[in-house]
Amino acid sequence: MDQLRLPGPPAGGMTAPPFISAMGTRPASLHTIHFTGSGSEYFRIWVVNLLLTLVTLGLYYPWAKARKLRYFYGNTFVIGHPLGFHGNPRQMLRGFLLVSLLMVLYGVAGRVSPVSGAVAGLILAALWPALLRSSLQFRLSQTSWRGLRFHFTGSLKSAYMVFLSPMLIGVGVMMLSGILMAFLPRDLGKAVVPMVLSGVMVLGSLALAPYMLWRVKRYQHAHYALGQLQTTFKATYRNVLAIFLKTGLLTLAAATGLVLVGGLLGSVLGGGHMGSRPDPKQLLSAMSMMLPVFAGYILLTQVIVAPYFSVHLQNLVWTQTGNRMVRFKSHLRWSDMAGLALKNWLLIMLTFGLYWPFATVALARARLQAIVIHTRQAPDTLVGQARQACANATGDLAADLAGIDLGL
């Protein structure tokens, strides 16, 4: 199934004939997601949102986000039925103002003194897990399918545990480096300390970034629920680390090629004139010749490296999400996303940014329609069971009252 290439779905979604899936010997049905959004339709929404957000100095942002989500959700058909977004912009405004206030206080505190900035950063870090959970609760509780609301089951304790373990590892690494410095000779320590600290920061970031991302994704995708159906997440840290390592090697190879090309151009243009006074015309010519190098850097990062990372991460995350009755499988291809990224960036630059909404719609269509849903029961049966479970549930009032949406 990893190499399965699916044809485009008909209007309203499609249901393939039953087949025997990897979930067991019982027959499972295959369903694709169909996105009907149009770039021209979303362009009108985007222009109005942008203008009103600028005129109101950002206060219209919750209304703009709600309009965008209603459009994209309403045009996303899952097994023939669209999703719905029911968030109240006024309610979202409270969450938006709260998060904005926290960020402003953090910025002001950092300008007052390093100590106050550090204290504000610690306070923001202490609140972030709670904000993450509230955001996930709000987004899921305001999303519906066939009249049923989704919900998020992750606990507040689990949210804090997501960040606690990486933070403890980071503190431990810094403490070990400090102990190592204490045992070094003073003369050697002065020369080695900056190098060791830089190495610790780089290695720590390389190791903790995939670990943190894996824990956040596991917290998200292991707690999505519709009625009694709740997802699990089977991807491991090793899976995410492999994506980071491959992306890093690809980035290193691309950067090395660009450096070699740039050095070759520099030596050709500046050869024999290093000790003399530079000619303005020669400098202008050199700068114009270096522009292709910078363009190549943007091309490689945005068209090759970034799509590679996002494609493999989506395929991993969604393919490892599901439960005994419903599973997901993502068949996004790097070549398709690289071509789409190249087209989007070229048209965005040629139109001075006006192609942005068209690019957003095209990207959403590619990502959504690459996901396939495997069900071991008929969708109507699953919906009936979920509806009964929702009728017996009291609901999560915290999600309805918070109004925080971090866009996760």
Side-chain angles (χ1 to χ4, degrees):
M1 289 298 299
D2 290 340
Q3 304 300 322
L4 176 62
R5 183 63 176 165
L6 297 170
M14 59 87 75
T15 301
F19 67 100
I20 304 300
S21 72
M23 295 183 293
T25 58
R26 296 182 60 183
S29 297
L30 178 149
H31 312 273
T32 60
I33 298 175
H34 187 44
F35 184 72
T36 61
S38 166
S40 58
E41 291 178 350
Y42 179 57
F43 179 81
R44 294 190 290 270
I45 297 175
W46 176 77
V47 168
V48 174
N49 285 346
L50 180 62
L51 292 177
L52 291 179
T53 301
L54 292 175
V55 169
T56 60
L57 301 179
L59 290 178
Y60 187 76
Y61 177 75
W63 280 266
K65 189 166 189 176
R67 290 187 65 198
K68 176 183 176 180
L69 291 176
R70 288 195 189 105
Y71 180 77
F72 278 86
Y73 281 33
N75 284 282
T76 302
F77 286 78
V78 180
I79 317 182
H81 296 269
L83 297 176
F85 180 75
H86 310 277
N88 187 339
R90 293 184 179 180
Q91 188 178 1
M92 295 169 66
L93 178 63
R94 294 197 295 268
F96 171 73
L97 292 177
L98 173 62
V99 175
S100 300
L101 178 62
L102 291 174
M103 298 305 295
V104 169
L105 292 178
Y106 173 69
V108 172
R111 291 177 176 239
V112 172
S113 70
V115 175
S116 60
V119 173
L122 290 175
I123 294 175
L124 185 61
L127 292 176
W128 192 256
L131 295 175
L132 170 67
R133 177 176 180 260
S134 180
S135 175
L136 291 170
Q137 283 184 307
F138 178 78
R139 177 66 71 90
L140 268 293
S141 69
Q142 303 303 320
T143 302
S144 68
W145 178 68
R146 296 186 64 170
L148 296 172
R149 296 288 185 101
F150 292 88
H151 57 280
F152 184 76
T153 61
S155 66
L156 184 60
K157 177 182 177 181
S158 298
Y160 276 93
M161 292 303 297
V162 168
F163 297 92
L164 181 61
S165 180
M167 288 178 60
L168 291 178
I169 294 175
V171 172
V173 171
M174 295 300 295
M175 291 179 62
L176 288 176
S177 63
I179 295 173
L180 178 62
M181 302 296 177
F183 285 97
L184 291 174
R186 292 186 177 181
D187 296 336
L188 181 62
K190 292 180 180 180
V192 174
V193 165
M195 184 182 302
V196 172
L197 288 179
S198 300
V200 168
M201 294 296 292
V202 172
L203 293 177
S205 300
L206 292 176
L208 288 180
Y211 185 60
M212 176 71 78
L213 179 62
W214 170 67
R215 292 182 67 86
V216 170
K217 290 298 181 182
R218 184 177 65 171
Y219 179 66
Q220 288 179 267
H221 286 253
H223 296 100
Y224 295 149
L226 180 68
Q228 87 288 3
L229 297 174
Q230 179 176 321
T231 57
T232 59
F233 187 66
K234 295 184 178 181
T236 64
Y237 166 63
R238 183 179 298 178
N239 299 139
V240 178
L241 179 62
I243 295 176
F244 270 78
L245 291 176
K246 293 176 182 178
T247 305
L249 291 175
L250 183 63
T251 305
L252 181 62
T256 302
L258 286 174
V259 169
L260 292 176
V261 173
L264 180 61
L265 286 175
S267 63
V268 171
L269 293 173
H273 302 278
M274 298 300 295
S276 60
R277 185 177 180 180
D279 184 3
K281 293 182 178 180
Q282 185 180 11
L283 289 177
L284 182 61
S285 176
M287 291 179 61
S288 63
M289 290 296 293
M290 290 301 292
L291 286 178
V293 177
F294 292 107
Y297 174 77
I298 295 175
L299 180 69
L300 289 173
T301 55
Q302 299 300 320
V303 177
I304 296 179
V305 176
Y308 179 89
F309 180 81
S310 62
V311 163
H312 286 80
L313 184 63
Q314 172 174 318
N315 289 343
L316 172 67
V317 167
W318 280 108
T319 300
Q320 299 299 327
T321 299
N323 53 45
R324 192 171 61 88
M325 292 297 175
V326 180
R327 295 211 64 83
F328 300 88
K329 193 111 176 157
S330 177
H331 301 279
L332 200 59
R333 300 207 310 180
W334 180 25
S335 58
D336 294 340
M337 292 300 292
L340 180 61
L342 177 61
K343 173 186 174 182
N344 286 343
W345 278 104
L346 287 176
L347 291 176
I348 286 172
M349 290 187 291
L350 290 175
T351 60
F352 300 99
L354 292 179
Y355 189 75
W356 186 268
F358 296 87
T360 303
V361 168
L363 184 61
R365 178 179 292 106
R367 288 187 174 279
L368 289 170
Q369 296 192 163
I371 298 176
V372 181
I373 304 172
H374 298 179
T375 62
R376 295 182 63 177
Q377 285 188 357
D380 290 340
T381 302
L382 293 174
V383 169
Q385 295 174 351
R387 197 180 303 277
Q388 183 178 3
C390 289
N392 295 331
T394 58
D396 192 339
L397 295 179
D400 293 332
L401 294 175
I404 297 175
D405 193 335
L406 302 179
L408 298 170

